[in-house]
Amino acid sequence: MANVVVIGAQWGDEGKGKITDLLSKSADVVVRYQGGVNAGHTVVVQDQTFKLHLIPSGILYPETECIIGSGTVIDPEILIEELDTVEALGVSTKNLRIAQTAHITMPYHRLIDNASEERRGTNKIGTTKRGIGPTYADKSERTGLRVLDLMDKEGLREILEWTIPYKNEVLERMYGLDPLDVETVLAQYLEYADRLRPHVVDASLNIYKALQERRNILFEGAQGTLLDLDHGTYPYVTSSNPVAGGACVGAGVGPTAIDRVIGVAKAYTTRVGEGPFPTEMVDGVGEVLGDRGAEFGTTTGRARRCGWFDAVIGRYAVRINGLDCLAITKLDVLDTLDEIKVCVGYKINGVVTEHFPSSARQFASCEPVYETMPGWKVSTENCRKLEDLPQEALDYLKFLAELMNVPIAIVSLGAGRHQTIVVEDPIHGPKRALLDADGSPVI
């Protein structure tokens, strides 16, 4: 039995959906612990592509219990659309559970998010404009609505009769937008409540029972370490805590419940939205990787900015999350390159550092220090064992493992489930030592 947290070790979009889907085969319960519909996980199974935003990736396994935890924020309209979509593709949602204490995204959250981002102008954050930040803000301000509030018609009316007039003042006076009508919103959200009611549970109690029964639990994060509200590239971050510690808060479990933490990182680096990006490619190589890697956001469709692998943020992710193994994705995207660069440090005001700076202004001034490795110039997409990989690709993986001082447990070579090399199953496999006998990290 093992309880594993899967986190993004970069700026999100690392391929966590595929890795979570892969590990869900060995899991009894999959818990999504933070974020909202601003996240997107793409899972490819045979000839079908599933784009999931709120529903945990484990939904594709019919016997797996999937829980949307208390730390998430839920847009009922989009969740219902997602339910309809996966059910139309023949996937059962009978094992989906929704935390009764998760907060709800309302129409005014989306309107405020969009208007606020537009008003920022050149200082915009790069939000998805899905209302996530304002929903979390209301949660912190203690004026939010939770799933359990939707289940109580009179209670919901009472809350909306106070909240909507207050939000209308903001919409009208600050942003010049039309006001919302209490009765219209109430009727709409009561319909959502009827559809979602069969799935609503005390999620932390469900998870506790699973722990007591020694079932395998997979905790699934959204976004990535560098987008964490407390530990990311603030202010260009999300509004929740994607890091491993967020799993305990968002799921409602203690830290002693976690056995392992696996970080997912691309073999290069991408970023969506605004903010500093030291290894960003400004030449044609970035376009090559973007095309080969289909680097477009699952949620927004925005093109992702591409850069070389950044071991500085990799080491930072190891430290912040307590990573004990890695999944490296999209190695095959590098197949055509003559040479591959890896950022091993930053030069700040002429001084080289291996550590991630907390200041966004300082981070923007970082000059990457690179080491260059030879490319392999052959296709790896059909490799299924480490020994199938060309030596240059093995050397590259070994170098990344040494730089971050953690072993690589999984290597992904395409979108399909079968396009994967599993060195070690993080759930069922033995937890190996971080170092070989000679003191070097194992792949």
Side-chain angles (χ1 to χ4, degrees), residues 192-208:
Y192 297 154
D194 288 340
R195 174 68 188 278
L196 299 178
R197 195 181 308 276
H199 300 283
V200 177
V201 298
D202 182 339
S204 66
L205 180 58
N206 276 44
I207 298 168
Y208 179 74

Side-chain angles (χ1 to χ4, degrees), residues 249-262:
V249 178
V253 301
T256 53
I258 307 301
D259 297 304
R260 303 198 67 174
V261 183
I262 178 171

Side-chain angles (χ1 to χ4, degrees), residues 261-337:
V261 183
I262 178 171
V264 184
K266 280 178 183 165
Y268 49 102
T269 311
T270 61
R271 180 168 194 175
V272 170
E274 308 302 316
F277 186 3
T279 67
E280 184 171 11
M281 299 167 177
V282 294
D283 53 18
V285 178
E287 293 181 9
V288 170
L289 296 188
D291 290 340
R292 284 183 53 79
E295 295 298 354
F296 297 93
T298 303
T299 299
T300 64
R302 292 180 295 180
R304 298 172 183 144
R305 301 153 64 190
C306 295
W308 297 112
F309 189 91
D310 190 332
V312 178
I313 67 173
R315 286 190 293 264
Y316 181 70
V318 171
R319 169 162 63 92
I320 293 297
N321 295 289
L323 300 184
D324 57 19
C325 60
L326 284 166
I328 298 295
T329 63
K330 294 196 174 184
L331 184 68
D332 58 299
V333 174
L334 304 180
D335 285 351
T336 63
L337 301 184

Side-chain angles (χ1 to χ4, degrees), residues 39-59:
H41 289 169
T42 301
V43 180
V44 179
V45 182
Q46 295 177 346
D47 60 345
Q48 288 187 317
T49 298
F50 298 85
K51 294 183 181 295
L52 305 173
H53 299 276
L54 277 167
I55 298 176
S57 302
I59 198 70

Side-chain angles (χ1 to χ4, degrees), residues 315-377:
R315 286 190 293 264
Y316 181 70
V318 171
R319 169 162 63 92
I320 293 297
N321 295 289
L323 300 184
D324 57 19
C325 60
L326 284 166
I328 298 295
T329 63
K330 294 196 174 184
L331 184 68
D332 58 299
V333 174
L334 304 180
D335 285 351
T336 63
L337 301 184
D338 293 316
E339 61 180 27
I340 301 167
K341 294 182 181 180
V342 178
C343 174
V344 297
Y346 298 148
K347 185 178 289 185
I348 305 175
N349 297 325
V351 178
V352 175
T353 179
E354 295 183 350
H355 302 293
F356 175 74
S358 298
S359 164
R361 182 182 293 272
Q362 192 176 52
F363 188 48
S365 71
C366 287
E367 178 185 343
V369 177
Y370 288 117
E371 289 197 23
T372 302
M373 303 191 71
W376 40 92
K377 301 288 288 182

